[in-house]
Amino acid sequence: MEGIRIIELPPARMATSGDRELDEFDTWWSNVDKERKDRFYPRDFMWFDEEKRSLVWFYALPDGVTDSGGYDVADFPGGLYAAAISRDKDDIDGERVFAGIKEWVKNSGVFALDERPGYYTMFHVITPDEVYQAMGFRQLEIYVPVKLKSR
């Protein structure tokens, strides 16, 4: 599968939606996000909590932000991720890309899946509103945790 990139996400303090309403969390973090000065990487990521069978949203708190809006804060460990793009809200394409990432990792000879607790496959919508309006769909970046294989 072409188009897979390996990135490293830094350790961070992340506010988490936990069991609370995703729309409420979206409103809170979107307002906090408007205040940050950098735009070099996304700070919000979603993942599926297998135990609770629900989506959870993370938001990496910018430096200096101490008010988590009443949301729990978790220490995100950071790490390596294999990432690729799918079409947002297209589960078939998302599953295709996810399977393709896992197959690429398996065949890479360099990486293995990192399946430790606290390392989740996450995703992030990357398409700005004006691009969405022009294209008619959004792109979703899928992040699968990986580690270097032992040599």
Side-chain angles (χ1 to χ4, degrees), residues 29 33 39 42 44 85 88 124-141:
W29 80 259
D33 200 61
R39 293 283 178 232
D44 70 292
I85 304 299
D88 188 31
H124 170 81
V125 175
I126 60 173
T127 312
D129 289 340
E130 61 273 14
V131 175
Y132 164 66
Q133 291 169 0
M135 292 190 332
F137 67 92
R138 294 186 190 274
Q139 293 176 311
L140 185 77
E141 189 158 32

Side-chain angles (χ1 to χ4, degrees), residues 2 56 97:
E2 293 183 34
V56 177
V97 170

